[in-house]
Amino acid sequence: MTAVEILVDEHQLIKKVLDWGEREIARITQGVAPDAGKLIQAVDFIRNFADRCHHAKEEGLLFARLNDRGLPRQGGPIAAMLYEHDKGRAYVAAVAAALEGAGRGESGSLEALRQNLGAYISLLRAHIDKEDHVLYPMAGRLLGPADQEWLLREFDRLEREETGAGVHDKYRHMAEEFASLP
């Protein structure tokens, strides 16, 4: 498996949680109380898998290597992806901030939760599409076999030393659980 294939596979896991988030937004819109426990898990997944694991591989490793191979960090696709990562973090922070009040049924918090979760999901779906169909194919053209091997080693090191042993598997199982929920 190449480094890009690993990232695409991680996108599939992230989309399972996004799918559940869309179903949760629909329930909230219909007046059903939010599932605070699952929303807390979703925020945990987003922060610790999508951001700390997946985005760390992109930002600290893939984007840096692409920059080394001539793709500018400013004003091009890398800059756009970094901007969207930051924007997504802001949406997730707003979701987390609204959780307590939403759990108590406060209308302003429910609306903030619904709007920010929806904005995050829309942003991330478009973001994943751009990475899978524009940036990653570009990476395939710019990165040689030695770059791919380096990325695989660094992805492995990141997961062992920074993310932590077993964390990737924990979140893979969590994504599968979200996929099985109504």
Side-chain angles (χ1 to χ4, degrees):
M1 186 174 270
T2 68
V4 166
E5 289 170 336
I6 289 169
L7 295 171
V8 169
D9 180 62
E10 290 176 356
H11 281 166
Q12 297 308 310
L13 297 175
I14 293 165
K15 287 196 276 188
K16 290 177 182 194
V17 177
L18 299 180
D19 291 345
W20 175 84
E22 287 176 335
R23 295 189 301 272
E24 184 67 2
I25 289 169
R27 285 187 289 274
I28 293 168
T29 301
Q30 294 169 356
V32 176
D35 185 336
K38 285 294 175 202
L39 283 162
I40 290 168
Q41 283 185 331
V43 167
D44 172 56
F45 177 91
I46 293 164
R47 285 180 168 163
N48 290 300
F49 182 78
D51 200 29
R52 197 166 153 243
C53 179
H54 179 78
H55 290 162
K57 289 173 185 165
E58 291 175 336
E59 292 175 4
L61 301 169
L62 177 66
F63 296 173
R65 187 52 55 116
L66 287 171
N67 185 243
D68 291 345
R69 297 298 174 257
L71 193 63
R73 194 165 176 92
Q74 301 299 323
I78 293 174
M81 297 301 100
L82 291 169
Y83 170 77
E84 290 175 1
H85 286 178
D86 287 341
K87 193 171 181 180
R89 290 177 185 116
Y91 286 135
V92 172
V95 168
L99 275 173
E100 187 176 329
R104 291 192 303 266
E106 295 172 7
S107 62
S109 294
L110 283 166
E111 186 59 18
L113 173 70
R114 190 182 64 74
Q115 284 186 1
N116 285 288
L117 183 57
Y120 176 77
I121 291 168
S122 293
L123 171 77
L124 216 60
R125 286 202 185 280
H127 177 84
I128 287 170
D129 187 62
K130 285 182 257 185
E131 286 182 340
D132 286 354
H133 298 103
V134 178
L135 185 64
Y136 293 169
M138 192 179 301
R141 291 187 300 274
L142 290 172
L143 302 176
D147 295 316
Q148 291 287 349
E149 290 174 23
W150 179 83
L151 283 168
L152 286 172
R153 280 193 310 274
E154 288 301 303
F155 283 10
D156 183 59
R157 182 199 56 75
L158 185 137
E159 287 204 9
R160 279 184 292 104
E161 297 176 11
E162 296 178 35
T163 307
V167 171
H168 194 276
D169 287 337
K170 169 189 171 182
Y171 288 108
R172 178 175 295 281
H173 293 301
M174 187 183 286
E176 296 300 336
E177 180 184 325
F178 274 103
S180 72
L181 295 171

